[in-house]
Amino acid sequence: MEESKGLNCFFSTEAILTENLTKVFKTRVGNIIALEDVNISVKQGEFLCIVGPSGCGKTTFLRILGGLEKQTSGRFYMRSRNPQKPLTSMVFQGDSIFPWMTVAENVTYGLRIKGIPPRDRREAAIRFLKLMGLLKFIDAYPYQLSGGMKQRINVARAFVSDPEILLMDEPFGALDEQNRLILQQELLKIWEGSGKTSLFITHSIDEALMLGDRVMVMTAHPGKIKAIVEVDIERPRNILLLRSSPEFASLYREIWHLLQEEVEKAKARELSA
Amino acid sequence: MSMAEEQIEKTFGQVIVKEEKARMQSKAVAGRELLLKVLAFLSPSLLLVLWEILSRLGVIDVRLFSSPSRIFYALIPMLYSGELLYHTMVSTRRIVLGFLAGAIPGVAIGLSMGLFPPVRASLMPMVAATFPIPKLAVMPLILIIFGLGETSKIFTIAIGVFYLVLINTMAGVLNIDEIYLDVAKNFGASRLQFYTTVALPGALPMIFAGFKLGMGTALLLIVAAELSAAKAGVGWMVWRAYDMFDIEKMFVALITMAFLGYVFSSLLDLIERIVIPWKNPKG
Ligand SMILES: Nc1ncnc2c1ncn2[C@@H]1O[C@H](COP(=O)(O)OP(=O)(O)O)[C@@H](O)[C@H]1O
Ligand SMILES: [Mg+2]
């Protein structure tokens, strides 16, 4: 992460800036351009949602920002305002909480890695689980939890490590509609209190509009930014009221058309291949 | 009766019916479980009774197959004199020491082979080449090297346990879901932190599977190890009974072995439950 280099290139209100970020995977069947020339700047405290057809490089983008993958070319900057805090923390797609740790141990894993003593970790776990209504499961193991609870723990683990930037990869993708709505509302609640810059991948337009300040729509093969849509809906948002508002409907249509074009293109590509 | 009351009556009526059904169902389930338990106890008992009757009727040759009562009468004095206990303890000592001598280096080397590709690359050819050799075929060599004492018997068991534990431990580390490596990396875990919070706990279920396989092999090898140059032990009892054509004693030794196997596997299960409390008991 080149946080120090070229800091003057971006304004102090910005948390992330990418410059021609490109990632090529070399595979046996040839090169896959997962990302090509992605340029975006994300404001401090902004909630940016990312949508796009599957395989368009959403996960790859987040993994590069999270330091789990190295870009092939291009650069990105991230501003660290507090060197005591971790810069990024990722919520992974799918089930990623450790089966061998209790709920408390999972939630405070980041603190353990930082060397925070057990007593303080326990306190942090109690505080956070109380907030999420999961206190009675504090010493349970993941096999005793439902899918919705596991996903809450997954998100909580990233929050508790208190990063400056949260990177979330379809955290609610595998949940049923009801759980998804509840978790969205909970996420908004803790996010609004924290002011953390957040990137959130989703395949649901609904979800992107409920959570995001902006929605970044991506195209596949190569993965590029197709459009960035501003979501001018005021906060705090009520997920139930939101759905019936006119702004929501028109934004939904706009993004749907953008994605529709991509789906058509993918179909045409398949037919010609 | 008003509409509302009727409604309540209806719903409650349904609830009661449902509860009654549920109660009957749970009764049926409990009944079935009891039946299964009775069956599990009854069928071996029935077999014993059948064995006894057939041997008394002379349908089966008691000189070859003995009978439950004869085995029982042979067992009692051996229990009283402490003879059986003595042989059991001798074998138990060999099994436990051999198991530890094989399992501890098995875990250590298996972990390092799983974690460090250079270690794996340099040791794998040797492991792959020597693993398929039947351990019994190595016994004469072990006897020549270690002599006729306890060491050679313990060593024979240790080798058998070692390979199974090593291979399972290595596979356990290599099979840890990659997402957990990403999580550790995401939170900035050091190498040491990664080993203690991800690699070791993640490999534990496979390590225990290796222990269980190793214990099975240890029980197999004890008989072979006590065949040659032993003067005590349950395996020795079998061979001794063979020499003396003492079928009852042989059965007593076999029963003792079954018992030993049961005790050791229960013990491993117990330790597993303590060490891996996070394992779903339903699999
Ligand atoms: N480690 C990898 N090796 C090779 N190809 C990969 C790898 N990771 C992702 N890809 C490819 O890169 C493209 C983008 O993947 P990904 O970022 O996971 O997409 P998304 O999250 O949008 O579904 C896909 O075509 C995928 O097959
Ligand atoms: Mg993805």
Side-chain angles (χ1 to χ4, degrees), chain A residues 63 67-68 89-90 92-93 96-101 109-110 112-113 141 143 157 161, chain B residues 176 179-180 182-189 193 197-198 201-202 277-281:
Chain A
R63 287 175 63 88
L68 297 172
S89 194
M90 189 137 172
F92 292 85
Q93 191 170 5
S96 74
I97 65 174
F98 297 121
W100 49 86
M101 293 183 194
Y109 184 67
R112 174 171 176 186
I113 295 302
Y141 283 102
Y143 79 86
R157 185 173 59 186
S161 72
Chain B
I176 294 174
I179 198 155
Y180 300 128
D182 280 343
V183 174
K185 204 172 160 192
N186 169 59
F187 287 105
Q193 283 172 325
T197 63
V198 178
W278 46 272
K279 203 173 159 188
N280 189 348

Side-chain angles (χ1 to χ4, degrees), chain B residues 115-267:
Chain B
L115 288 170
F116 312 112
V119 178
R120 186 160 66 247
S122 36
L123 295 185
M124 202 55 210
M126 281 174 271
V127 172
T130 53
F131 176 53
I133 301 175
K135 305 304 165 280
L136 293 179
V138 193
M139 262 199 66
L141 184 64
I142 294 173
L143 285 175
I144 291 172
I145 297 172
F146 292 105
L148 304 179
E150 285 299 290
T151 319
S152 62
K153 291 169 193 71
I154 293 169
F155 195 81
T156 304
I157 294 170
I159 296 189
V161 174
F162 171 75
Y163 278 96
L164 290 170
V165 172
L166 180 147
I167 285 175
N168 269 275
T169 304
M170 181 179 71
V173 175
L174 292 177
N175 284 337
I176 294 174
D177 200 331
E178 222 163 289
I179 198 155
Y180 300 128
L181 317 189
D182 280 343
V183 174
K185 204 172 160 192
N186 169 59
F187 287 105
S190 67
R191 285 194 78 92
L192 185 67
Q193 283 172 325
F194 170 73
Y195 300 149
T196 55
T197 63
V198 178
L200 186 62
L204 266 181
M206 283 289 277
I207 293 177
F208 263 88
F211 286 169
K212 286 176 186 175
L213 288 173
M215 188 48 83
T217 302
L219 290 167
L220 197 94
L221 288 173
I222 188 76
V223 184
E226 288 176 348
L227 162 62
S228 47
K231 288 186 184 55
V234 190
W236 174 83
M237 273 173 74
V238 176
W239 294 112
R240 177 78 181 160
Y242 170 79
D243 288 338
M244 315 287 287
F245 202 71
D246 188 345
I247 296 292
E248 276 74 35
K249 214 168 208 173
M250 200 182 279
F251 271 103
V252 169
L254 292 179
I255 291 167
T256 311
M257 278 187 171
F259 177 72
L260 264 185
Y262 176 75
V263 168
F264 280 127
S265 85
S266 305
L267 206 66

Side-chain angles (χ1 to χ4, degrees), chain A residues 58-59 93 169-170:
Chain A
K58 305 182 293 291
T59 298
Q93 191 170 5
D169 191 356
E170 298 199 33

